[in-house]
Amino acid sequence: DMWYEKGRAHRILSQNNEAMAAYNKAIALDNTKPLFYYERSKTNFLLNNKSGAVSDFQKAMSMGFKIPQGDTYPATLMK
C-alpha cells in the first residue's frame, strides 16, 4: 500500500507527524491490515501519545498481528 510505505519512509526520516498522516490515510483506505495499526502505534509512541500507541498496539494484536522475532517495541511500549 502506497500510504503505508509513505508512512514508513517519513518515520525513518523522523518526520513523525507526516508519518502519522500517511498511516491514518492507509488505515482509512484499508482497515483490515494489522501491520498498519502496529506501525501507527510506533509512530504514536514517538509522538508521545502513549494512549494512542497502546490502543493501536492492542488493535493490531486483536487482528492477529505476529510480532517479528527480535522486535523490542512491545517491551518498550509496556514500560
Side-chain angles (χ1 to χ4, degrees):
D1 181 280
M2 178 188 74
W3 288 104
Y4 166 75
E5 293 299 334
K6 192 171 184 175
R8 283 179 41 91
H10 281 300
R11 200 176 75 229
I12 289 167
L13 296 171
S14 297
Q15 298 169 343
N16 296 316
N17 288 315
E18 293 86 348
M20 181 61 69
Y23 288 136
N24 287 341
K25 183 71 171 175
I27 290 169
L29 294 171
D30 185 353
N31 66 359
T32 67
K33 295 186 178 175
L35 177 61
F36 294 178
Y37 290 94
Y38 187 71
E39 295 297 333
R40 189 172 73 175
S41 173
K42 290 180 175 182
T43 304
N44 268 313
F45 186 81
L46 292 170
L47 290 169
N48 296 316
N49 179 4
K50 188 160 183 183
S51 66
V54 169
S55 177
D56 279 342
F57 179 82
Q58 290 172 336
K59 176 75 172 176
M61 295 301 105
S62 74
M63 296 172 76
F65 183 74
K66 303 292 184 219
I67 299 167
Q69 186 174 1
D71 189 337
T72 61
Y73 173 66
T76 301
L77 177 62
M78 297 305 159
K79 285 184 181 177

